Amino acid sequence: QYLTLEEEKAIDIFLLLMSKCRKPVRIKFMPSLAFSIARQGSTNILVKPPIKNWPRAFEKRHPELKARRVKTIDWKRHGNNIHDKV
């Protein structure tokens, strides 16, 4: 486990808060978030970034978080097609 339980709880609360604000956090952002938290908690210890599969393991440990796939915007809604409506 890369982070302590308190640090993981902080990330969990942050992700749920961002979800409530309708600003989802990308899975690619989670390792950098964990790395910055781990650096702040360490004292003169060299901290390495989390491993490749850390976000997936974090998701399994916290079942209240769910990853969603975002659908692409339909080409009919492209900027060229909405000028008449504006």
Side-chain angles (χ1 to χ4, degrees):
Q1 192 169 352
Y2 185 70
L3 298 173
T4 64
L5 293 176
E6 293 83 17
E7 292 169 340
E8 280 201 0
K9 181 76 173 171
I11 289 181
D12 187 22
I13 291 170
F14 173 74
L15 294 174
L16 289 173
L17 179 68
M18 292 300 288
S19 163
K20 286 182 182 177
C21 294
R22 298 186 185 265
K23 299 285 184 183
V25 177
R26 297 183 69 190
I27 290 179
K28 288 184 177 185
F29 177 67
M30 288 179 59
S32 63
L33 181 64
F35 183 56
S36 65
I37 289 175
R39 281 188 301 162
Q40 290 176 0
S42 69
T43 56
N44 298 331
I45 299 173
L46 182 62
V47 178
K48 294 182 180 179
I51 59 174
K52 179 181 175 182
N53 295 327
W54 180 83
R56 183 64 60 197
F58 182 83
E59 182 185 4
K60 287 181 181 179
R61 284 192 301 272
H62 298 273
E64 66 272 6
L65 300 175
K66 289 187 177 183
R68 286 189 272 163
R69 297 214 181 253
V70 179
K71 294 181 181 179
T72 58
I73 296 177
D74 187 21
W75 278 103
K76 294 176 185 173
R77 293 189 60 196
H78 189 267
N80 297 336
N81 298 324
I82 64 169
H83 290 297
D84 298 336
K85 298 176 185 176
V86 174

